[in-house]
Amino acid sequence: MVTIRSIVVSLDKNTCELVWNDGHLSSLHAKWLRFNCQCGICITPFPGVSRIDIPSFPSVLCIAGAYVSDNGEELRSKFEGEILPDHEAVHSAKWLRAKCYCDSCLESKIERRDVISRYFTSNNGQRKVRKMQYQELLDDPDRGLYRMTKDMVEAGLCVLQNVPREEGMVVKIGKKIACIESTTYGEIFEVFARDSENVAYTNLKLPLHQDQVHYEAAPGIQMLHAIKFDKCVTGGESVIVDMFEAVEVLRVESPEDFKTLVEVPGCWLTEDFSAGRYFEHHKCHIQLDYFGKVVAVNWNQATFSTLQVRNRDVDRLYKAYTAFSNIINRKSMQYRFTMKPGDLIAFNNRRMLHARGAFELNGGQRHLQGTYLKLDDLKSKYVVLCHKLGKNVEPPKIGNNCSF
């Protein structure tokens, strides 16, 4: 059981130091304690509603007194500068320990939640696509969806086999996981060879890319369902690369190029006035968080557009761009497989690059249907399923610009 052994309020009354029953030390600020009060007045029964109006408090807020109750299972404190009459802040020991923000606790939380780094450091360089059967979603929907979302969270992708080859199945299955993320291509898009200005809708080679980086935030999860992939069709191999793994390789092999892609922004542009589209977004290829950890990667050479950066950074950016491109195109970095009729691949579009080899129809057909899902909803679905199935997991980092 987590209990507080002792407390000491600092002389300036700005912090309260807690010594825990296991010897751990937490130093909690006065404002942090007050603004995170867990009493019935400050916490409402309505999710997303707070009764604590931070700007209404004075700039100086000090701890007037604090004590431990319930055999060390609760901290109670009062404050100089309090705006509520006779208010006493209440925090359970269990809650405080879980929310401790000392350096060691923050680092531990970051490490526990970083399933991305843990996955690619534990797979021993083996590139295997995780597969499961569609029937698993029918036999036990919760456990089937748990396995599917777990694969997408950990490995970044999952292949669902023997999905009925009916049009619209990709959306039907997608909605079991998350909200559909509609784009300019609609709720569902058709991938088959035809006369098109979009190389994805031809039989030509499609280089490694994320879909729609020209948006402020690219679509989260991409799902592609092979409705037809006739045996006479040659080529069309699928390729997947984990960008989060690739940027760590870049960080080790070429730290200056890594630094450049963190600091110098690129531009992604899609312009088609005849179709009513104009999307432009400037951002860095690699985005770090407050802790210096990679939380987002952006890559699409097809829509990578004209740089608008300082003169000193032009050559620097192109050099770093080439270094990263060389890494992602190494065979050792790539998952390679050929989809079969009835296969449905679901992958994290913010984390995984995908590509397709050129193909020849030879009188047959290759028809995929695709859709996008919201990445935040995937995390939500996974955590809720874990809770429902009694699996004790940390909410995972999934590559959506969030540190945890």
Side-chain angles (χ1 to χ4, degrees), residues 162-315:
N162 294 309
V163 175
R165 287 180 286 154
E166 303 168 8
E167 295 196 6
M169 282 298 296
V170 68
V171 168
K172 183 178 179 180
I173 294 173
K175 287 181 177 179
K176 295 178 183 293
I177 298 171
C179 295
I180 301 298
E181 189 168 6
S182 184
T183 67
T184 53
Y185 296 97
E187 186 178 76
I188 193 169
F189 52 91
E190 309 281 350
V191 184
F192 58 88
R194 57 190 185 272
D195 290 333
S196 174
E197 294 180 355
N198 188 331
V199 68
Y201 303 150
T202 69
N203 66 336
L204 301 177
K205 177 181 178 179
L206 194 60
L208 286 163
H209 67 287
Q210 283 171 290
D211 273 17
Q212 307 198 59
V213 184
H214 51 264
Y215 277 102
E216 175 188 3
I221 297 297
Q222 182 169 174
M223 300 179 73
L224 289 168
H225 178 210
I227 295 175
K228 294 180 180 179
F229 203 128
D230 294 339
K231 291 182 179 180
C232 61
V233 176
T234 55
E237 181 183 43
S238 296
V239 183
I240 296 285
V241 170
D242 190 329
M243 288 190 294
F244 276 70
E245 182 175 6
V247 298
E248 294 304 333
V249 173
L250 180 70
R251 194 203 296 253
V252 171
E253 293 185 354
S254 185
E256 283 302 313
D257 289 327
F258 176 90
K259 187 171 184 285
T260 295
L261 294 184
V262 168
E263 295 177 345
V264 183
C267 172
W268 286 268
L269 173 69
T270 290
E271 181 181 71
D272 186 350
F273 290 109
S274 64
R277 299 187 187 122
Y278 182 88
F279 295 95
E280 177 186 14
H281 206 269
H282 297 251
K283 51 195 166 188
C284 293
H285 286 81
I286 302 172
Q287 294 172 260
L288 305 182
D289 66 1
Y290 167 81
F291 301 101
K293 305 292 186 180
V294 177
V295 289
V297 190
N298 302 294
W299 188 266
N300 187 320
Q301 69 179 59
T303 57
F304 186 61
S305 190
T306 310
L307 291 183
Q308 297 291 283
V309 299
R310 303 292 184 190
N311 184 277
R312 63 179 180 270
D313 290 325
V314 173
D315 288 340

Side-chain angles (χ1 to χ4, degrees), residues 43-177:
I43 298 296
T44 75
F46 306 106
V49 177
S50 173
R51 290 178 178 166
I52 301 174
D53 181 23
I54 293 175
S56 66
F57 283 80
S59 58
V60 177
L61 189 65
C62 300
I63 301 171
Y67 65 97
V68 178
S69 63
D70 292 341
N71 296 318
E73 294 181 32
E74 187 176 76
L75 175 70
R76 289 178 172 264
S77 46
K78 289 192 174 185
F79 301 87
E80 296 176 9
E82 177 62 68
I83 62 174
L84 297 180
D86 301 319
H87 180 267
E88 190 174 64
V90 179
H91 300 87
S92 73
K94 182 179 179 181
W95 186 92
L96 285 172
R97 185 58 185 272
K99 301 297 182 181
C100 177
Y101 53 93
C102 72
D103 286 348
S104 63
C105 284
L106 285 176
E107 289 300 324
S108 176
K109 185 179 293 185
I110 290 169
E111 184 177 351
R112 292 196 311 270
R113 293 191 174 201
D114 190 3
V115 297
I116 296 175
S117 295
R118 192 157 61 246
Y119 174 75
F120 63 65
T121 55
S122 65
N123 67 9
N124 297 318
Q126 297 187 28
R127 310 297 171 191
K128 293 182 179 180
V129 179
R130 295 191 178 185
K131 300 177 181 179
M132 60 179 290
Q133 298 298 312
Y134 172 71
Q135 189 63 37
E136 295 179 54
L137 296 182
L138 303 180
D139 294 342
D140 190 333
D142 286 341
R143 293 190 183 279
L145 282 175
Y146 162 73
R147 180 182 167 187
M148 187 176 180
T149 55
K150 183 174 187 289
D151 287 348
M152 292 161 69
V153 164
E154 292 182 350
L157 75 160
C158 176
V159 173
L160 198 60
Q161 296 182 313
N162 294 309
V163 175
R165 287 180 286 154
E166 303 168 8
E167 295 196 6
M169 282 298 296
V170 68
V171 168
K172 183 178 179 180
I173 294 173
K175 287 181 177 179
K176 295 178 183 293
I177 298 171

